[in-house]
């Protein structure tokens, strides 16, 4: 239902763009969030974007990461710049999805499978 992609190996200071695409019948994606989980640590919110385009970022990525949505309304991006070794983690997308117009009061929540980001120093 959510497919994340775009992870890889990048040098410190470099950039990487992750993608997350929702599939299936979709009336609206209410909100799409990106999380990171480093080894031995809890999953942590990186940021999010709402259907109306409002974005929120964790302090540790402000000014370096940007979340955006594609014109199709079901593809979302996490543009990561000036990457640091501490940004290395598995990145997950999470979406709240309205499947049908008649189910706006029953959003469904999905997680993507995660994509690995490795940052070399």
């Amino acid at each position: 239902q959510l497919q994340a992609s775009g992870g890889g190996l990048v040098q410190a200071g470099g950039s990487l763009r992750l993608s997350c695409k929702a599939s299936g019948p979709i009336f609206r994606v209410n909100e799409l969030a990106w999380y990171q989980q480093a080894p031995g640590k809890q999953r942590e919110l990186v940021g999010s974007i709402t259907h109306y385009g409002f974005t929120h970022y964790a302090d540790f990525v402000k000014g370096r990461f940007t979340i955006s949505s594609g014109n199709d309304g079901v593809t979302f991006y996490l543009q990561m710049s000036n990457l640091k070794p501490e940004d290395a983690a598995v990145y997950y997308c999470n979406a709240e999805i309205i499947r049908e117009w008649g189910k706006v009061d029953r959003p469904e929540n999905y997680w993507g499978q995660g994509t690995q980001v490795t940052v070399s120093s």
Side-chain angles (χ1 to χ4, degrees), residues 5-7 10-11 13-20 32-36 46-49 55-58 60-70 75-84 87 91 93 115 117:
S5 61
V10 64
Q11 286 188 332
S15 299
L16 205 60
R17 190 177 79 162
L18 307 183
S19 300
C20 179
L32 187 286
W34 286 96
Y35 290 77
Q36 64 172 211
V46 171
S48 63
I49 185 168
T55 54
H56 164 80
Y57 299 97
F60 61 87
V61 303
K62 279 182 180 178
R64 300 188 299 122
F65 291 12
T66 302
I67 298 174
S68 61
S69 60
T75 305
F76 300 85
Y77 305 97
L78 176 64
Q79 177 68 48
M80 304 183 291
S81 302
N82 190 21
L83 281 159
K84 305 175 181 180
D87 295 320
Y91 283 75
C93 53
T115 184
V117 173

Side-chain angles (χ1 to χ4, degrees), residues 12-121:
S15 299
L16 205 60
R17 190 177 79 162
L18 307 183
S19 300
C20 179
K21 186 176 178 67
S23 61
I26 296 174
F27 171 70
R28 186 176 70 214
V29 178
N30 277 352
E31 186 168 13
L32 187 286
W34 286 96
Y35 290 77
Q36 64 172 211
Q37 187 167 21
K41 295 187 177 181
Q42 288 189 330
R43 196 169 295 186
E44 192 170 18
L45 177 67
V46 171
S48 63
I49 185 168
T50 70
H51 169 71
Y52 300 101
F54 294 110
T55 54
H56 164 80
Y57 299 97
D59 287 344
F60 61 87
V61 303
K62 279 182 180 178
R64 300 188 299 122
F65 291 12
T66 302
I67 298 174
S68 61
S69 60
N71 292 332
D72 59 5
V74 297
T75 305
F76 300 85
Y77 305 97
L78 176 64
Q79 177 68 48
M80 304 183 291
S81 302
N82 190 21
L83 281 159
K84 305 175 181 180
E86 53 264 41
D87 295 320
V90 177
Y91 283 75
Y92 297 90
C93 53
N94 175 270
E96 184 180 273
I97 296 174
I98 305 295
R99 291 295 183 190
E100 303 172 12
W101 178 82
K103 294 182 178 179
V104 292
D105 59 339
R106 283 173 283 169
E108 299 176 9
N109 191 273
Y110 296 92
W111 285 94
Q113 83 283 13
T115 184
Q116 176 73 50
V117 173
T118 304
V119 183
S120 63
S121 57

